[in-house]
Amino acid sequence: MREKSLLLKKWAQGLAVAIVALSLHASGASAGVSVDWADLPDPVAQVFEDPYSDLSPEEFDDVLFVVRLRGRLQQDSGTREERQNWQEMLDETEAALAAGGIDIDWLLDQRHVVMERREKAANAGNPVFDGKNITVAGFAIPAPPDAEGRQIAYLVPQRGMCSHMPPPPPNQMIRVRLNSDWTPAYFHEPVRLTGQLNIDPTDHQMVVVDGLMPMRATFMLDADRVETLESREDRLEWSDSAADKLRAAGRRKTGGQTTPD
């Protein structure tokens, strides 16, 4: 049943890829077809068997408990009574998992395979868009110029990513080469960009709001057109945020004492 479900998912993903490819061909190379962030990951890499996803939260906790207990017993630590207690808890937990149809040894053997598949799912870009002119909207993060002196930015699907939130998976981040005088005026400026998208993985580190942040992007976009989507509310929010940061910095310098404006 599980194999049939996987085959159906792969068939559906293949059909989706074909539909996107046809739409790209019909729109023409220079039109800049509108792309949604959900289209950017390689759909084929998203379909794989993950036995860990079938576990309930309680079963997952039991698996972790087994790993910890086995680790303790492999070490030369603990009193005789403690080790006997650990072994009893291990036997009991393994028996409970087996009663639920879970082969703990097979499951643990699969963890490296699953990790590799998850990593591929997070990194692989949709080949349909490689080398195509696209238009995508998101939130721009200013970045230092590249080695050639060209202006650089990053585009992410949600405001707050890479600052107050963790960075997205690499195939949900776009490194942007800007071919105009425009650069983001502030972190997470809402924009719509048009240009040629390429699968060109990069891995950089840069200082963002909360410190040094890894910026791993699957895609590179040579942006020929920039449309800012900033609203009055965006400007007010940014101004308030900047003022809060300045006040916080002032409090740190004065040991928490307030200073006259």
Side-chain angles (χ1 to χ4, degrees):
M1 187 67 180
R2 180 180 294 176
E3 291 181 359
K4 183 178 180 181
S5 177
L6 281 172
L7 286 173
L8 287 173
K9 286 182 179 179
K10 288 182 178 180
W11 178 83
Q13 295 284 14
L15 180 61
V17 170
I19 291 172
V20 171
L22 286 172
S23 67
L24 282 171
H25 179 73
S27 65
S30 61
V33 64
S34 181
V35 171
D36 189 83
W37 286 93
D39 298 326
L40 291 179
D42 182 357
V44 176
Q46 308 309 308
V47 183
F48 60 92
E49 186 174 1
D50 184 351
Y52 288 89
S53 65
D54 296 331
L55 299 176
S56 69
E58 293 78 14
E59 290 170 338
F60 189 76
D61 286 343
D62 283 346
V63 170
L64 294 179
F65 193 45
V66 166
V67 172
R68 288 196 295 269
L69 288 172
R70 287 184 176 184
R72 288 180 186 176
L73 290 168
Q74 287 175 356
Q75 298 173 0
D76 187 16
S77 62
T79 64
R80 181 178 179 181
E81 290 76 17
E82 286 175 333
R83 294 183 65 83
Q84 183 177 352
N85 185 42
W86 295 341
Q87 185 64 58
E88 290 175 356
M89 288 191 294
L90 177 61
D91 293 340
E92 180 181 338
T93 307
E94 289 180 343
L97 289 169
I102 298 171
D103 185 339
I104 183 64
D105 292 317
W106 175 84
L107 190 64
L108 294 179
D109 285 342
Q110 294 297 305
R111 65 186 185 275
H112 295 298
V113 175
V114 172
M115 286 174 60
E116 289 176 1
R117 290 173 177 170
R118 288 180 178 178
E119 182 74 10
K120 184 177 180 181
N123 283 271
N126 193 336
V128 168
F129 299 110
D130 191 22
K132 298 296 190 298
N133 268 40
I134 64 116
T135 296
V136 60
F139 298 91
I141 300 173
D146 64 14
E148 299 174 355
R150 295 181 63 178
Q151 295 297 327
I152 297 293
Y154 286 92
L155 198 68
V156 293
Q158 286 182 255
R159 175 180 272 122
M161 285 181 165
C162 302
S163 59
H164 306 301
M165 296 165 55
N171 56 18
Q172 291 288 279
M173 183 186 290
I174 301 174
R175 183 173 168 90
V176 183
R177 281 194 291 248
L178 298 164
N179 296 323
S180 67
D181 294 333
W182 179 88
T183 56
Y186 56 90
F187 283 96
H188 302 113
E189 181 175 357
V191 293
R192 183 181 291 113
L193 304 178
T194 299
Q196 181 173 308
L197 186 72
N198 291 287
I199 296 177
D200 184 10
T202 55
D203 188 352
H204 296 271
Q205 287 194 332
M206 58 178 260
V207 177
V208 192
V209 176
D210 294 335
L212 200 63
M213 182 68 62
M215 306 295 283
R216 298 175 59 210
T218 295
F219 298 98
M220 177 74 75
L221 178 70
D222 284 295
D224 297 318
R225 179 184 174 191
V226 178
E227 180 184 357
T228 59
L229 305 176
E230 182 186 51
S231 65
R232 181 174 180 274
E233 288 74 19
D234 290 321
R235 288 194 294 272
L236 289 174
E237 180 181 342
W238 179 81
S239 298
D240 292 343
S241 176
D244 289 341
K245 288 182 175 65
L246 288 172
R247 283 193 290 269
R251 284 194 293 270
R252 287 195 295 272
K253 291 178 180 178
T254 60
Q257 296 179 357
T258 58
T259 56
D261 294 334

